[in-house]
Amino acid sequence: MKRIDLVYQFLGTIAPEIRKEFRNRKLKREAIIPTSQPENGFIDPVMLVTSEKAVHDLLQQIPVHGGDDNLTEFSESLRTVAKALTRAAEGKASAQAEAVDWKRKYKLERARNLQLEQKEKFSRCHNGDLYRERAESIGNGYAANGKLERCCGKHGICSHEVLSDGQADSPVQNKTMKKASFKLSWCCNGDQSDRHNHDIVSFEKGNIITASRSSKQISLKWESPPQTVLILTKPNSVSVQVLCARMVRWLKEQKNLKIYVEPRVKRELLVESCFFKFVETWKDDHEISNLHSKVDLVVTLGGDGTVLWAASMFKGPVPPIVPFSLGSLGFMTPFLEHYREDLDSVLKGPISITLRHRLQCQVIRDSAKNENEAEEPILALNEVTIDRGISSYLTNLECYCDNSFVTRVQGDGMILSTTSGSTAYSLAAGGSMVHPQVPGILFTPICPHSLSFRPLILPEHVTIRVQVPLNSRSPGWASFDGKDRRQLAAGDALVFSMAPWPVPTACLVDSTSDFLKSIHDGLHWNLRRTQSFDGPHDL
């Protein structure tokens, strides 16, 4: 009883001091911390920490005598209460912070879902591409002002312009399958181009899928029936003259077409009969330059050389050419002597054609002071050859591709060929055979003085420059489709690029079938006897 009495006596003695201390600390706390109810119904952890601190400070002021075990036990109990208050304050503060974070995430997710729902409704109302809208919203497709940024589509295709299967993906799938946004653009030497208008490029969920325009068979359909035909023939051939006269008569009597021929052919027809007075021709080069505006169709009677001659007559756009095989080589002449059925089918249409690209070449002299002194450009359907001519020295040529150095040619020369000319001189010099609709420029050396100098195929959009260095021992000689030979002195250069006007030639079947048939029939490609089945066998 004495111990209990002593405790109560001690508490009664210090009670006024405890009440006074708590009153002072409460006034200080109310001056610093608002007394309003905390948000979300949580007890303010600062208040709990302050209460615990008050208890701890109070314990420091309680006089504890070493021999009084009850007071010592009482003070330890108060310290335990203080520690419990501290842990409770920390736990409540952590739970409150976590709840605030989850609340923020919930608001963001809800706003995002509402935004996606609005876009889905908008896309359904306007028959838009649902996947594109989601790709834009997920791929940070919003500007700083909150408005949707759309690709103008003038110089390329953006990755959000995708092919969709029409099925909406869930928000979880959109979140996990998000891919970076990108844009494709077409340019040449830094200039924007409209090449994408002719190429087919699509996107499947961010993956690029392309179908080259030249990989598809091209079909020509007449919007109005042809009215004028130009007939070009191989000279000095009696069989060609006879066939030409029959064809002209049939086209006039059966098809009632207007017919143009060369002056030489008209003289030959008039010698045979005065019936051919209706045939028209030209008098000078000025009329030849305007033929493309008068002629709807060109018919060639001869071999590949006649097709090359027909292409050289048109410096700009070229009418469709129907080539008949009446020569020694027929890589570009799939039609045979059955002209009535073939021409009747061509005039009715539609027909398959092969677009054969041409090289546009320009000689730039070292003595030229400005661009006005440059020579007129030359078009070549097969190839351009630069050789050493009659000189006994090796040809020394420096080659550049889009201003990037390619190599130095030391040998008999080099060939720059189109894919249509891959079966001509380039093939004889070791180059590969290439389908005529593959867009490219063949870079083939002629007898190079290097074992590692192999043929090269460059893309069609590049610009190639071949220059004779100033320290060259001899000049070079350039020829275009085997004619129009020109000398290249030291310092002169020859610039090549793909001409914008291809040569459309009609196909008998289609481009690929005609090409394979031509290399089988003309070159007997890979023709050998089949291995005998009754030979030796493995034991």
Side-chain angles (χ1 to χ4, degrees):
M1 291 296 295
K2 291 183 178 180
R3 292 182 179 179
I4 297 176
D5 293 340
L6 288 175
V7 170
Y8 279 109
Q9 183 180 359
F10 172 75
L11 291 176
T13 303
I14 67 173
E17 297 181 1
I18 293 176
R19 287 195 296 269
K20 182 178 178 180
E21 181 67 23
F22 269 97
R23 190 184 308 111
N24 293 335
R25 292 184 180 275
K26 181 178 180 181
L27 293 175
K28 291 181 181 179
R29 184 172 66 252
E30 291 176 352
I32 299 174
I33 304 173
T35 57
S36 60
Q37 182 69 18
E39 188 180 3
N40 301 325
F42 290 102
I43 300 176
D44 192 353
V46 179
M47 185 181 300
L48 293 174
V49 174
T50 306
S51 302
E52 183 273 332
K53 188 174 184 299
V55 175
H56 181 74
D57 294 343
L58 179 62
L59 290 175
Q60 298 297 328
Q61 298 177 5
I62 297 177
V64 179
H65 302 284
D68 199 335
D69 296 336
N70 292 325
L71 290 178
T72 302
E73 184 178 355
F74 178 72
S75 63
E76 291 294 335
S77 300
L78 289 179
R79 288 189 176 90
T80 302
V81 172
K83 293 180 181 179
L85 290 175
T86 302
R87 289 193 296 267
E90 292 176 353
K92 290 182 179 297
S94 177
Q96 183 178 1
E98 185 177 359
V100 171
D101 186 58
W102 275 105
K103 183 178 180 181
R104 180 182 59 83
K105 292 181 179 179
Y106 171 76
K107 290 181 179 180
L108 291 176
E109 188 68 21
R110 181 174 177 80
R112 187 177 184 180
N113 293 336
L114 291 175
Q115 188 180 40
L116 291 176
E117 290 177 1
Q118 292 176 358
K119 287 187 174 297
E120 289 177 7
K121 294 178 181 179
F122 179 81
S123 61
R124 291 193 186 100
C125 294
H126 293 80
N127 294 325
D129 193 340
L130 177 60
Y131 190 88
R132 181 180 66 182
E133 297 292 341
R134 291 199 171 189
E136 289 178 350
S137 61
I138 294 175
N140 298 326
Y142 287 88
N145 57 3
K147 295 182 179 180
L148 184 63
E149 294 181 342
R150 295 186 181 274
C151 175
C152 61
K154 293 182 179 179
H155 303 298
I157 300 178
C158 290
S159 61
H160 59 256
E161 296 178 356
V162 296
L163 297 178
S164 176
D165 55 1
Q167 297 180 356
D169 296 331
S170 64
V172 177
Q173 290 176 338
N174 285 336
K175 185 175 180 180
T176 58
M177 298 183 65
K178 181 177 67 175
K179 298 188 68 173
S181 178
F182 54 84
K183 178 181 179 181
L184 298 182
S185 60
W186 283 259
C187 61
C188 184
N189 295 331
D191 298 331
Q192 296 293 342
S193 174
D194 61 347
R195 288 183 180 273
H196 64 282
N197 292 333
H198 308 288
D199 290 325
I200 302 173
V201 179
S202 59
F203 297 88
E204 279 287 352
K205 296 185 178 180
N207 300 320
I208 303 175
I209 302 174
T210 178
S212 174
R213 67 182 186 277
S214 297
S215 65
K216 302 294 183 181
Q217 178 58 54
I218 304 173
S219 179
L220 185 147
K221 182 178 181 181
W222 302 106
E223 295 184 355
S224 60
Q227 302 294 327
T228 306
V229 177
L230 170 63
I231 300 178
L232 301 176
T233 65
K234 180 178 68 172
N236 304 322
S237 175
V238 177
S239 60
V240 172
Q241 294 179 11
V242 173
L243 181 61
C244 178
R246 294 177 181 174
M247 184 179 294
V248 170
R249 186 185 297 271
W250 181 79
L251 289 174
K252 182 61 178 179
E253 294 178 349
Q254 301 297 327
K255 302 298 179 180
N256 194 23
L257 297 178
K258 188 176 182 179
I259 300 174
Y260 275 84
V261 295
E262 298 174 84
R264 170 186 56 84
V265 176
K266 184 174 182 179
R267 291 193 297 268
E268 294 173 354
L269 292 174
L270 291 177
V271 169
E272 181 178 347
S273 173
C274 61
F275 169 80
F276 298 103
K277 289 183 179 181
F278 63 89
V279 175
E280 299 188 23
T281 186
W282 54 86
K283 297 180 181 179
D284 50 26
D285 294 339
H286 178 70
E287 293 186 10
I288 295 178
S289 62
N290 294 327
L291 274 178
H292 69 277
S293 61
K294 302 177 181 178
V295 175
D296 299 322
L297 192 67
V298 179
V299 177
T300 62
L301 304 178
D304 289 348
T306 310
V307 178
L308 296 177
W309 168 246
S312 65
M313 294 180 60
F314 298 91
K315 306 303 180 182
V318 184
I321 298 177
V322 183
F324 284 85
S325 179
L326 297 171
S328 56
L329 285 178
F331 295 105
M332 293 186 287
T333 55
F335 294 91
L336 302 176
E337 297 183 2
H338 307 287
Y339 66 90
R340 296 185 180 182
E341 295 82 358
D342 295 334
L343 288 179
D344 187 67
S345 177
V346 169
L347 293 174
K348 290 180 180 179
I351 58 174
S352 298
I353 63 172
T354 300
L355 289 182
R356 302 182 182 274
H357 299 278
R358 293 185 291 179
L359 289 175
Q360 181 171 286
C361 320
Q362 191 170 22
V363 179
I364 301 177
R365 301 295 180 182
D366 182 55
S367 57
K369 298 179 181 179
N370 50 52
E371 296 180 355
N372 296 329
E373 296 184 7
E375 300 181 10
E376 290 294 327
I378 306 171
L379 297 177
L381 178 57
N382 263 1
E383 76 279 312
V384 179
T385 305
I386 306 176
D387 55 56
R388 59 190 177 92
I390 61 174
S391 175
S392 59
Y393 297 107
L394 294 177
T395 300
N396 193 1
L397 303 172
E398 295 178 349
C399 302
Y400 299 85
C401 178
D402 285 342
N403 296 324
S404 298
F405 180 74
V406 178
T407 188
R408 180 187 294 269
V409 178
Q410 296 184 91
D412 282 355
M414 62 171 298
I415 302 169
L416 287 171
S417 169
T418 64
T419 52
S420 294
S422 65
T423 52
Y425 197 177
S426 176
L427 179 64
S432 176
M433 292 185 295
V434 185
H435 193 287
Q437 285 192 195
V438 175
I441 301 175
L442 280 67
F443 188 96
T444 308
I446 304 175
C447 299
H449 199 254
S450 172
L451 295 177
S452 61
F453 197 169
R454 308 303 301 165
L456 185 67
I457 300 179
L458 299 171
E460 64 169 353
H461 60 80
V462 300
T463 299
I464 301 175
R465 178 166 57 92
V466 179
Q467 187 168 359
V468 180
L470 295 174
N471 60 353
S472 179
R473 292 186 176 185
S474 61
W477 292 85
S479 60
F480 310 88
D481 283 341
K483 58 181 183 297
D484 198 9
R485 195 165 175 81
R486 301 191 182 186
Q487 184 179 6
L488 300 176
D492 294 347
L494 194 57
V495 179
F496 306 84
S497 61
M498 196 65 73
W501 307 284
V503 178
T505 58
C507 301
L508 183 62
V509 182
D510 57 62
S511 181
T512 302
S513 299
D514 290 359
F515 171 70
L516 296 177
K517 185 176 185 301
S518 67
I519 62 176
H520 280 292
D521 296 345
L523 297 176
H524 304 290
W525 179 58
N526 196 29
L527 182 62
R528 72 179 297 272
R529 295 178 61 184
T530 304
Q531 188 175 16
S532 177
F533 70 92
D534 58 353
H537 298 277
D538 293 336
L539 298 178

